[in-house]
Amino acid sequence: WRFPEARADKFRACPMKERKDYNMALDGAFLRHIKKELEDKLTAARVDKIHQPNREELVIAFRSREAACKVLFSARANSARVHITTVALENPKQPPMLCMLLRKKLMGAKLTAIRQPELERLLHFDFDCVDELGDHVTLTLTIEIMGRYSNIILTGPDGKVIDALKRVDAEM
Protein backbone atom coordinates (compact mmCIF):
# COMPACT_ATOMS: atom_id res chain seq x y z
CA TRP A 1 0.00 0.00 0.00
CA ARG A 2 1.28 3.49 -0.87
CA PHE A 3 0.18 7.06 -0.26
CA PRO A 4 -1.26 8.84 -3.26
CA GLU A 5 1.35 11.32 -4.56
CA ALA A 6 -0.58 14.41 -3.42
CA ARG A 7 -0.70 13.16 0.18
CA ALA A 8 2.88 11.85 0.19
CA ASP A 9 4.24 15.35 -0.44
CA LYS A 10 2.22 16.67 2.48
CA PHE A 11 3.74 14.09 4.84
CA ARG A 12 7.30 14.63 3.57
CA ALA A 13 7.25 18.33 4.42
CA CYS A 14 8.44 18.94 7.96
CA PRO A 15 6.99 22.19 9.36
CA MET A 16 9.80 22.60 11.94
CA LYS A 17 12.49 22.67 9.26
CA GLU A 18 10.63 25.32 7.28
CA ARG A 19 10.41 27.71 10.22
CA LYS A 20 13.57 29.77 10.60
CA ASP A 21 12.64 31.12 14.05
CA TYR A 22 12.19 27.75 15.75
CA ASN A 23 14.14 27.42 19.01
CA MET A 24 14.08 24.33 21.17
CA ALA A 25 13.26 25.01 24.81
CA LEU A 26 16.30 24.58 27.04
CA ASP A 27 15.02 22.93 30.20
CA GLY A 28 16.93 21.44 33.10
CA ALA A 29 16.96 17.89 31.69
CA PHE A 30 18.38 19.01 28.34
CA LEU A 31 20.89 21.24 30.14
CA ARG A 32 22.05 18.12 32.06
CA HIS A 33 23.10 16.56 28.73
CA ILE A 34 24.92 19.73 27.67
CA LYS A 35 26.69 19.73 31.05
CA LYS A 36 27.84 16.13 30.51
CA GLU A 37 29.23 17.00 27.07
CA LEU A 38 31.03 20.06 28.44
CA GLU A 39 32.45 18.05 31.36
CA ASP A 40 33.83 15.39 29.04
CA LYS A 41 35.63 17.93 26.87
CA LEU A 42 36.60 20.69 29.30
CA THR A 43 37.40 19.30 32.74
CA ALA A 44 41.05 20.12 33.55
CA ALA A 45 41.28 22.50 30.56
CA ARG A 46 42.71 25.99 31.03
CA VAL A 47 41.20 29.32 30.01
CA ASP A 48 43.08 30.62 26.98
CA LYS A 49 41.05 33.64 25.80
CA ILE A 50 37.93 35.50 26.83
CA HIS A 51 35.85 37.66 24.49
CA GLN A 52 32.55 39.49 24.78
CA PRO A 53 31.29 39.96 21.20
CA ASN A 54 28.14 41.80 22.36
CA ARG A 55 26.34 42.91 25.52
CA GLU A 56 24.74 39.55 26.28
CA GLU A 57 27.27 36.96 25.13
CA LEU A 58 30.67 35.69 26.26
CA VAL A 59 33.04 33.37 24.43
CA ILE A 60 35.68 31.57 26.47
CA ALA A 61 38.40 29.62 24.66
CA PHE A 62 39.75 26.61 26.54
CA ARG A 63 42.87 24.60 25.79
CA SER A 64 43.97 21.21 27.00
CA ARG A 65 46.51 18.61 25.97
CA GLU A 66 43.97 16.93 23.70
CA ALA A 67 42.34 19.89 21.97
CA ALA A 68 41.18 23.48 22.12
CA CYS A 69 37.58 24.61 21.95
CA LYS A 70 35.42 27.67 22.49
CA VAL A 71 32.30 27.84 24.64
CA LEU A 72 29.55 30.37 24.00
CA PHE A 73 27.70 31.70 27.05
CA SER A 74 24.57 33.58 25.96
CA ALA A 75 22.19 35.44 28.28
CA ARG A 76 19.94 36.73 25.51
CA ALA A 77 16.27 36.85 26.41
CA ASN A 78 15.13 34.88 23.37
CA SER A 79 18.08 32.47 23.05
CA ALA A 80 19.85 31.96 26.37
CA ARG A 81 22.20 29.00 26.07
CA VAL A 82 25.66 27.55 26.67
CA HIS A 83 27.43 25.28 24.18
CA ILE A 84 30.66 24.54 22.33
CA THR A 85 31.00 26.64 19.19
CA THR A 86 33.22 26.87 16.13
CA VAL A 87 31.75 30.12 14.84
CA ALA A 88 34.14 33.07 14.92
CA LEU A 89 32.29 36.10 16.29
CA GLU A 90 33.52 39.64 15.71
CA ASN A 91 34.71 41.36 18.87
CA PRO A 92 34.56 45.08 19.69
CA LYS A 93 37.79 47.10 19.65
CA GLN A 94 37.36 48.05 23.33
CA PRO A 95 36.29 45.09 25.54
CA PRO A 96 33.46 45.74 28.03
CA MET A 97 34.22 45.96 31.76
CA LEU A 98 32.99 42.43 32.59
CA CYS A 99 35.22 40.99 29.87
CA MET A 100 38.27 42.79 31.24
CA LEU A 101 37.45 41.61 34.78
CA LEU A 102 37.05 38.01 33.62
CA ARG A 103 40.37 38.22 31.77
CA LYS A 104 42.05 39.50 34.93
CA LYS A 105 40.54 36.84 37.20
CA LEU A 106 40.25 33.77 34.95
CA MET A 107 43.10 33.86 32.40
CA GLY A 108 45.11 30.67 32.77
CA ALA A 109 42.64 29.28 35.32
CA LYS A 110 41.92 25.56 35.33
CA LEU A 111 38.31 24.36 35.04
CA THR A 112 37.87 21.92 37.92
CA ALA A 113 34.14 21.16 37.82
CA ILE A 114 30.82 21.94 36.18
CA ARG A 115 27.87 21.67 38.56
CA GLN A 116 24.11 21.75 38.09
CA PRO A 117 21.91 21.70 41.20
CA GLU A 118 19.15 19.11 40.63
CA LEU A 119 17.51 19.89 37.27
CA GLU A 120 17.76 23.68 37.61
CA ARG A 121 18.42 25.81 34.55
CA LEU A 122 21.79 26.99 35.76
CA LEU A 123 25.35 25.76 35.49
CA HIS A 124 28.26 26.56 37.81
CA PHE A 125 31.74 26.48 36.26
CA ASP A 126 34.36 26.18 39.03
CA PHE A 127 37.85 27.48 38.23
CA ASP A 128 41.08 27.03 40.17
CA CYS A 129 42.71 30.48 39.95
CA VAL A 130 45.66 32.33 41.40
CA ASP A 131 44.76 35.65 43.05
CA GLU A 132 46.83 38.83 43.38
CA LEU A 133 48.69 37.43 46.39
CA GLY A 134 49.60 34.17 44.61
CA ASP A 135 47.12 32.05 46.59
CA HIS A 136 44.96 29.41 44.90
CA VAL A 137 41.26 30.31 45.07
CA THR A 138 38.13 28.87 43.49
CA LEU A 139 36.06 31.29 41.43
CA THR A 140 32.70 30.27 40.02
CA LEU A 141 31.17 31.48 36.77
CA THR A 142 27.43 30.80 36.85
CA ILE A 143 25.09 30.99 33.88
CA GLU A 144 21.36 31.24 34.61
CA ILE A 145 19.22 30.25 31.64
CA MET A 146 15.84 31.74 32.47
CA GLY A 147 14.50 33.64 29.46
CA ARG A 148 14.65 37.39 29.90
CA TYR A 149 16.06 36.92 33.43
CA SER A 150 19.12 35.02 32.11
CA ASN A 151 22.44 36.16 33.52
CA ILE A 152 26.13 35.33 33.80
CA ILE A 153 27.57 35.85 37.28
CA LEU A 154 31.13 35.62 38.67
CA THR A 155 31.32 34.74 42.36
CA GLY A 156 34.30 34.56 44.71
CA PRO A 157 35.41 31.73 47.00
CA ASP A 158 33.11 33.05 49.76
CA GLY A 159 30.06 32.99 47.45
CA LYS A 160 29.84 36.78 47.13
CA VAL A 161 29.06 38.19 43.70
CA ILE A 162 32.09 39.87 42.14
CA ASP A 163 30.29 41.03 38.99
CA ALA A 164 27.48 40.07 36.65
CA LEU A 165 26.59 40.56 33.02
CA LYS A 166 23.22 42.05 33.93
CA ARG A 167 23.21 43.93 37.19
CA VAL A 168 19.92 43.68 39.06
CA ASP A 169 18.52 45.38 42.12
CA ALA A 170 16.16 44.21 44.86
CA GLU A 171 13.06 45.21 42.86
CA MET A 172 13.66 42.54 40.22
Side-chain angles (χ1 to χ4, degrees):
W1 187 83
R2 293 175 39 153
F3 281 116
E5 275 310 303
R7 287 189 59 184
D9 290 338
K10 190 182 287 185
F11 285 100
R12 280 189 204 121
C14 179
M16 294 302 185
K17 290 182 180 177
E18 293 174 9
R19 289 181 54 191
K20 302 287 188 212
D21 63 338
Y22 176 72
N23 288 324
M24 183 175 166
L26 195 94
D27 61 355
F30 187 69
L31 191 60
R32 174 73 48 124
H33 291 284
I34 293 173
K35 172 192 165 277
K36 177 73 172 121
E37 178 186 1
L38 292 173
E39 271 181 332
D40 292 343
K41 293 189 179 192
L42 299 176
T43 302
R46 294 200 177 268
V47 175
D48 191 29
K49 295 178 183 175
I50 301 174
H51 300 287
Q52 190 174 350
N54 58 51
R55 289 182 4 171
E56 298 177 320
E57 291 180 338
L58 282 172
V59 176
I60 300 180
F62 291 90
R63 62 178 160 74
S64 66
R65 293 178 190 225
E66 292 82 34
C69 63
K70 294 187 286 187
V71 177
L72 173 73
F73 295 83
S74 177
R76 289 184 172 192
N78 61 347
S79 63
R81 63 197 187 278
V82 57
H83 60 83
I84 294 173
T85 185
T86 57
V87 177
L89 298 171
E90 190 172 326
N91 297 305
K93 292 191 186 300
Q94 178 66 30
M97 291 300 292
L98 178 65
C99 183
M100 291 191 295
L101 176 74
L102 290 174
R103 287 177 182 174
K104 176 183 172 188
K105 300 278 189 182
L106 297 180
M107 281 304 244
K110 182 178 179 181
L111 182 66
T112 56
I114 301 175
R115 299 178 287 120
Q116 179 186 16
E118 302 293 321
L119 287 177
E120 293 290 330
R121 290 182 294 169
L122 55 96
L123 288 179
H124 301 287
F125 292 78
D126 294 331
F127 294 94
D128 181 30
C129 308
V130 178
D131 66 2
E132 295 84 12
L133 301 174
D135 298 330
H136 283 272
V137 295
T138 299
L139 297 180
T140 302
L141 187 67
T142 301
I143 179 163
E144 298 176 318
I145 301 174
M146 299 178 188
R148 68 182 225 203
Y149 300 109
S150 299
N151 205 350
I152 301 170
I153 304 162
L154 180 67
T155 56
D158 54 357
K160 289 185 181 177
V161 174
I162 297 172
D163 203 359
L165 187 70
K166 298 176 184 176
R167 295 185 178 161
V168 296
D169 55 4
E171 293 178 10
M172 266 186 102

